[in-house]
Amino acid sequence: MKSTSKPDRHRFILYSLFFIFFLCALATINGIRFDSLLSFGRCALSNIPSQSSAPSSNNFLAVNSSTSSDDIRILIGVLTLPDQYQRRHFLRLIYGTQSPVGAQIDVKFVFCNLTKEDQKVLVALEIMRYDDIIILDCKENMNKGKTYTYFSSLPEMLNDTDRPYPPYHYVMKTDDDTYFRLDNLVGSLKPLPREDLYYGYVIPCPSMDPFVHYMSGMGYMISWDIVEWIRDSEVPKNHLEGPEDKVFGDWIREGHRAKNRYNAKWSMYNFPEPHTQCTHELWPNTTAVHLLKNQEKWIQTLKYFNVTSNLKPSKLYHIP
């Protein structure tokens, strides 16, 4: 067998080196292109909003979390009791499926100190999951200062947050048997002042003058400056006991507050049955319905307003 000549070996080595150089050059070029492609992809994907990320538990009941600086900021405090677990879960459905435009609305459930071992576990789990509970430092009550504790505690609770000032333009106290339609609520607030405001359903029922008596406890709202006044003034501190909505009206009158008042009657009213001077037939321009004391009344109200009209069709369920 003949040995390979030196020129052939030199050519083979030269071709091999050239081939290796070519492979290295090709890999370098492709690497640059691949890096560029990755950079381009990251840039493009960064501009696409995520559709699959789960909502943060911290804003589960922030009814509209995409806000602008012009949006109205509203805190709705639903005064309830620690043991009302099912009612809270139901109201999370009621408010969590509404998406009002032009507002950020936070719904919080408000009650006094926990007194049972099961409450300490179950309420703690609710807070971990939903972060929508305020526990006041008080003994549970209806007409012995709970409303005062609620409003007067808010500035201290919210003063170390990263919210703008004021943290909310309006703060509401409402009951857990009241249904608010948030789009209508926001629409009624847009033309109103954001200072020295007192909003609600005027009592007594036949009255249409918000400067005569007070707003019903079904749900009344005040601007943030009045919240701070409640914290600082001696007027509320010296008059805590009595029907909470009437007592609140007394504070406003004695303190010469709320030069801006808005009577939301008859967009707010009690459920039609049993009929009284405070009731009204269900109608489209409703902001709130009160005295929904049982599931039958809730269902009748929700059906009237067709709250499931936006249910998307799916192969996973069939609801006739």
Side-chain angles (χ1 to χ4, degrees):
M1 184 176 181
K2 294 182 179 180
S3 61
T4 307
S5 65
K6 284 187 178 182
D8 289 339
R9 286 200 300 270
H10 289 162
R11 277 196 297 270
F12 176 76
I13 294 172
L14 183 62
Y15 290 155
S16 299
L17 290 174
F18 178 78
F19 183 69
I20 292 171
F21 174 78
F22 173 76
L23 290 177
C24 291
L26 182 63
T28 302
I29 293 171
N30 286 339
I32 294 172
R33 289 177 178 173
F34 183 70
D35 287 341
S36 300
L37 184 60
L38 284 178
S39 299
F40 175 78
R42 283 192 293 265
C43 180
L45 290 173
S46 68
N47 293 321
I48 300 175
S50 173
Q51 299 296 325
S52 60
S53 58
S56 167
S57 61
N58 289 336
N59 60 9
F60 185 84
L61 269 185
V63 178
N64 188 351
S65 58
S66 57
T67 62
S68 74
S69 58
D70 295 329
D71 285 346
I72 302 172
R73 298 187 295 277
I74 304 170
L75 172 62
I76 297 179
V78 181
L79 270 61
T80 185
L81 300 172
D83 288 333
Q84 292 283 4
Y85 302 106
Q86 291 186 348
R87 177 56 60 89
R88 287 196 292 278
H89 292 322
F90 178 71
L91 290 175
R92 288 182 180 114
L93 291 177
I94 297 300
Y95 292 117
T97 52
Q98 299 187 57
S99 301
V101 177
Q104 180 214 332
I105 302 179
D106 293 336
V107 180
K108 303 285 187 181
F109 300 100
V110 182
F111 41 80
C112 291
N113 289 319
L114 307 181
T115 58
K116 304 175 185 177
E117 289 303 311
D118 62 325
Q119 292 173 352
K120 296 176 184 177
V121 174
L122 297 176
V123 172
L125 286 171
E126 285 186 88
I127 294 172
M128 292 168 65
R129 175 62 183 91
Y130 302 113
D131 193 23
D132 61 359
I133 287 175
I134 295 175
I135 302 177
L136 304 173
D137 187 11
C138 57
K139 184 177 180 180
E140 196 59 63
N141 68 91
M142 179 181 294
N143 295 317
K144 293 187 177 181
K146 181 177 180 178
T147 298
Y148 169 75
T149 306
Y150 165 55
F151 282 113
S152 64
S153 300
L154 290 177
E156 181 64 25
M157 289 178 176
L158 300 172
N159 65 2
D160 59 349
T161 66
D162 57 359
R163 293 177 175 273
Y165 181 86
Y168 297 98
H169 298 112
Y170 306 111
V171 175
M172 174 180 286
K173 174 267 162 187
T174 189
D175 296 334
D176 63 7
D177 63 350
T178 302
Y179 167 51
F180 270 92
R181 301 179 69 216
L182 300 181
D183 266 325
N184 286 12
L185 175 66
V186 172
S188 68
L189 288 169
K190 284 183 177 179
L192 299 182
R194 295 186 179 182
E195 293 183 350
D196 211 19
L197 180 75
Y198 184 27
Y199 173 114
Y201 175 100
V202 173
I203 294 292
C205 295
S207 173
M208 296 297 289
D209 186 351
F211 289 90
V212 174
H213 292 286
Y214 58 95
M215 305 296 186
S216 165
M218 72 168 75
Y220 54 85
M221 181 180 295
I222 55 176
S223 52
W224 183 256
D225 57 302
I226 297 183
V227 174
E228 293 185 324
W229 173 79
I230 292 172
R231 174 197 59 186
D232 299 332
S233 173
E234 294 299 315
V235 171
K237 295 175 186 176
N238 295 328
H239 182 15
L240 295 179
E241 296 193 12
E244 61 89 16
D245 48 3
K246 182 180 183 299
V247 167
F248 191 94
D250 292 341
W251 301 343
I252 295 297
R253 184 180 62 259
E254 295 170 19
H256 306 288
R257 298 287 138 175
K259 68 177 182 293
N260 301 307
R261 302 189 187 188
Y262 182 82
N263 177 20
K265 195 181 293 181
W266 283 96
S267 67
M268 295 175 64
Y269 50 89
N270 288 347
F271 187 81
E273 299 171 0
H275 179 75
T276 69
Q277 287 184 312
C278 295
T279 60
H280 190 293
E281 292 301 316
L282 298 173
W283 67 327
N285 294 327
T286 295
T287 296
V289 182
H290 184 221
L291 294 182
L292 301 175
K293 294 294 187 181
N294 56 49
Q295 182 166 308
E296 181 182 353
K297 291 182 177 180
W298 271 103
I299 296 303
Q300 186 175 337
T301 301
L302 297 174
K303 285 181 66 177
Y304 176 84
F305 294 113
N306 200 18
V307 298
T308 60
S309 61
N310 292 328
L311 179 66
K312 295 179 180 180
S314 172
K315 295 179 180 179
L316 298 178
Y317 49 76
H318 172 66
I319 301 178

